[in-house]
Amino acid sequence: MQIDGAQDWTHAFPLLRQLPNELFVQLRDASLIVELPEGSRIFGPGQAPDSFLLLLDGTIRVQQTSESGREIVLYRVQAGESCALTTACLLGYEDYQAEGIAETRIRAVAMPRALFDRLIASSREFRQFVFTAFSRRVTNLFRLIEEVAFQRIDVRLAQKLLELAVSRQHIAATHQDLANELGSAREVISRQLSEFARRGWLRVARGTVEIIDGSALTQLARHG
Amino acid sequence: MQIDGAQDWTHAFPLLRQLPNELFVQLRDASLIVELPEGSRIFGPGQAPDSFLLLLDGTIRVQQTSESGREIVLYRVQAGESCALTTACLLGYEDYQAEGIAETRIRAVAMPRALFDRLIASSREFRQFVFTAFSRRVTNLFRLIEEVAFQRIDVRLAQKLLELAVSRQHIAATHQDLANELGSAREVISRQLSEFARRGWLRVARGTVEIIDGSALTQLARHG
DNA sequence: AACGGTCTGTAACTAAGTCACCGAGCGGGC
DNA sequence: GCCCGCTCGGTGACTTAGTTACAGACCGTT
């Protein structure tokens, strides 16, 4: 089965194409494509989602803010992934909330709750899809807890810089941005960056970090 | 529908009694009751579960250990709850692991994976049960991350002491135990306890903490 | 060129974690 | 009882992380 033109968003979710024909049609027809500008708050205090989201384009940053204003990024949802975890949580058990922010302009399929339930009920493939996404997220949350609790900040910063660099050398982020990623404080990050710069591993300029010696960072990141 | 005698474990899970008769019978017949002594490792490096657990009696402690040997308790599974999160994770996406330890002698229903899948597929009630458990756990993980990242250790210790006390005054735990609960270090906990004792909030003896002024602890616990 | 906002640097301080060591308490074996 | 060994807790010196309170640099706008 093929769907053509503007309607065909299903290429982004190969797994869903394995659905039985009937369900596939339901999914295509009952789902809504939503677009949101960069910076939108997708969910969080005051803005609970009423549907299950499949992200087509863009990235969603899920983060938490403390009373004192410090932030930490919990995870990101990329194109081709579902917002399973947070969505299901917010749908299922209202109580406490993380915040989902569109990091870029995003396009997503919003699946009504009833359809989500029907799909879970009727498709082994869809269940697999959802549970795999869940478990990957939870795995990462476990890792995050371990890192926040036990890992040194210089190691975590090195990891994060490498993660943000991905083959580029320039990272566009303020020290505050990096602190928010790690749940640390700006001054702490500034000091660490100065130290890295002193060792010749990188250069800092207003709003950017340029990686010079990636392998040194990699070594530190692996608990060097 | 009623089941009598030794077989009837379903009273612990009222929700499951709402299942359609046919499924209920399947569940009862295909599930196995397992018993494990205190201290057993239920899952973790080297011991993955092959079934979904519903806990009838006892508590399971889910924790993580760092390279350096420091530990942190992620959550506990109590009687009447499912091990949904970790189980599903370990089943779904093998990679990283927390460790599940029987804190007491435990009795649980082990549901084969195939049955779990069948129940998810066929029962709205069961889906609700599983997803609610999931979302509650994830909510708590989010809270844990926030606390580890942003909360002062004295506040966290006060919270933990109150949680462990639950209307009793005596807590049987070594300083190391308390440190493991919070993902902190023994010396840090010892110092905090000394300080609490100095203020007359509690008394410490080898292996126990006796709470004297619960309200002072409560006040601190609420970020006093 | 002046201005206001954002971003970064710095110093002094507190909190948390680490390291190394010691001694107290406790239980078992004799 | 007494000794031995182990667990548990206390302590001081030190490092790392986070906080507070600034000051100054940078940048786009007017």
Side-chain angles (χ1 to χ4, degrees), chain B residues 4-186:
Chain B
D4 51 25
Q7 298 274 49
D8 187 9
W9 51 263
T10 61
H11 66 279
F13 292 90
L15 221 144
L16 297 183
R17 306 191 80 139
Q18 296 168 23
L19 289 177
N21 207 325
E22 185 209 0
L23 287 173
F24 191 88
V25 173
Q26 275 188 24
L27 175 57
R28 199 192 47 195
D29 295 348
S31 293
L32 199 70
I33 294 196
V34 296
E35 296 204 16
L36 290 169
E38 179 176 342
S40 323
R41 172 183 285 178
I42 295 153
F43 51 83
Q47 258 146 309
D50 49 359
S51 48
F52 180 76
L53 290 184
L54 299 172
L55 195 57
L56 297 172
D57 288 303
T59 49
I60 299 173
R61 184 178 70 240
V62 179
Q63 64 186 20
Q64 229 169 2
T65 307
S66 78
E67 290 180 33
S68 61
R70 267 171 68 193
E71 294 182 6
I72 185 169
V73 174
L74 300 174
Y75 57 87
R76 284 186 169 78
V77 182
Q78 305 289 345
E81 297 178 347
S82 76
C83 222
L85 191 65
T86 325
T87 311
C89 284
L90 294 180
L91 291 176
Y93 181 73
E94 209 69 50
D95 176 9
Y96 184 73
Q97 53 276 69
E99 191 179 24
I101 308 276
E103 271 198 315
T104 63
R105 184 165 165 287
I106 63 165
R107 214 160 52 89
V109 179
M111 187 185 299
R113 197 176 182 174
L115 177 59
F116 174 77
D117 203 56
R118 217 177 315 142
L119 279 172
I120 285 282
S122 47
S123 161
R124 162 181 279 272
E125 289 79 19
F126 188 71
R127 285 197 293 278
Q128 184 115 3
F129 174 74
V130 169
F131 278 100
T132 303
F134 263 52
S135 84
R136 190 164 296 148
R137 290 265 177 266
V138 171
T139 296
N140 283 335
L141 285 183
F142 283 0
R143 182 172 296 131
L144 178 59
I145 291 174
E146 168 154 351
E147 285 182 356
V148 171
F150 303 132
Q151 195 70 275
R152 293 171 50 104
I153 198 69
D154 53 353
V155 175
R156 293 180 59 214
L157 177 57
Q159 288 169 353
K160 184 57 74 176
L161 289 172
L162 291 168
E163 181 191 322
L164 293 175
V166 279
S167 80
R168 291 182 303 271
Q169 295 105 300
H170 281 271
I171 300 169
T174 65
H175 298 183
Q176 185 64 63
D177 290 340
L178 293 169
N180 290 346
E181 289 284 334
L182 300 175
S184 180
R186 198 261 309 163

Side-chain angles (χ1 to χ4, degrees), chain A:
Chain A
M1 127 148 271
Q2 291 293 64
I3 304 179
D4 50 23
Q7 300 274 52
D8 188 10
W9 50 263
T10 63
H11 66 278
F13 293 89
L15 221 144
L16 297 183
R17 306 191 80 140
Q18 295 169 23
L19 289 177
N21 206 326
E22 186 208 359
L23 288 172
F24 191 88
V25 173
Q26 275 188 22
L27 175 57
R28 199 192 47 194
D29 295 349
S31 294
L32 200 69
I33 294 195
V34 296
E35 296 203 18
L36 291 167
E38 180 178 341
S40 323
R41 172 183 286 180
I42 295 152
F43 51 82
Q47 257 145 311
D50 50 359
S51 48
F52 181 76
L53 289 184
L54 299 172
L55 195 56
L56 297 171
D57 290 303
T59 49
I60 299 174
R61 185 177 70 241
V62 179
Q63 64 186 19
Q64 228 168 4
T65 306
S66 78
E67 291 180 31
S68 61
R70 268 172 66 194
E71 294 181 7
I72 185 167
V73 174
L74 300 174
Y75 57 87
R76 284 185 169 77
V77 183
Q78 305 288 345
E81 297 177 348
S82 76
C83 223
L85 191 64
T86 325
T87 310
C89 284
L90 295 181
L91 290 177
Y93 181 74
E94 209 69 49
D95 177 10
Y96 185 71
Q97 53 277 71
E99 189 179 26
I101 306 276
E103 269 198 317
T104 62
R105 184 167 165 285
I106 63 165
R107 214 161 51 91
V109 179
M111 186 185 299
R113 198 174 182 174
L115 178 59
F116 174 77
D117 202 58
R118 219 176 313 144
L119 278 171
I120 285 281
S122 47
S123 162
R124 164 180 277 274
E125 291 78 18
F126 188 71
R127 285 197 293 277
Q128 184 116 4
F129 174 73
V130 169
F131 279 100
T132 303
F134 263 52
S135 84
R136 189 165 296 148
R137 290 267 178 264
V138 172
T139 296
N140 284 335
L141 285 183
F142 283 0
R143 180 172 298 131
L144 178 59
I145 289 173
E146 168 155 353
E147 285 182 355
V148 171
F150 303 133
Q151 195 69 275
R152 292 171 50 103
I153 198 70
D154 53 353
V155 175
R156 294 179 59 215
L157 178 57
Q159 288 170 353
K160 184 57 73 176
L161 288 172
L162 291 167
E163 181 193 322
L164 293 176
V166 279
S167 81
R168 292 182 303 270
Q169 295 106 301
H170 282 273
I171 299 168
T174 66
H175 298 182
Q176 185 64 65
D177 291 340
L178 293 169
N180 289 347
E181 289 284 334
L182 300 174
S184 180
R186 199 261 311 163
E187 295 86 334
V188 173
I189 300 302
S190 292
R191 281 200 283 260
Q192 295 295 336
L193 287 175
S194 307
E195 175 61 20
F196 289 174
R198 196 189 62 75
R199 296 185 196 164
W201 297 356
L202 45 76
R203 256 192 294 271
V204 291
R206 192 185 169 89
T208 63
V209 176
E210 180 192 357
I211 293 182
I212 296 172
D213 187 348
S215 62
L217 283 174
T218 306
Q219 181 154 350
L220 177 59
R222 296 203 259 270
H223 194 201

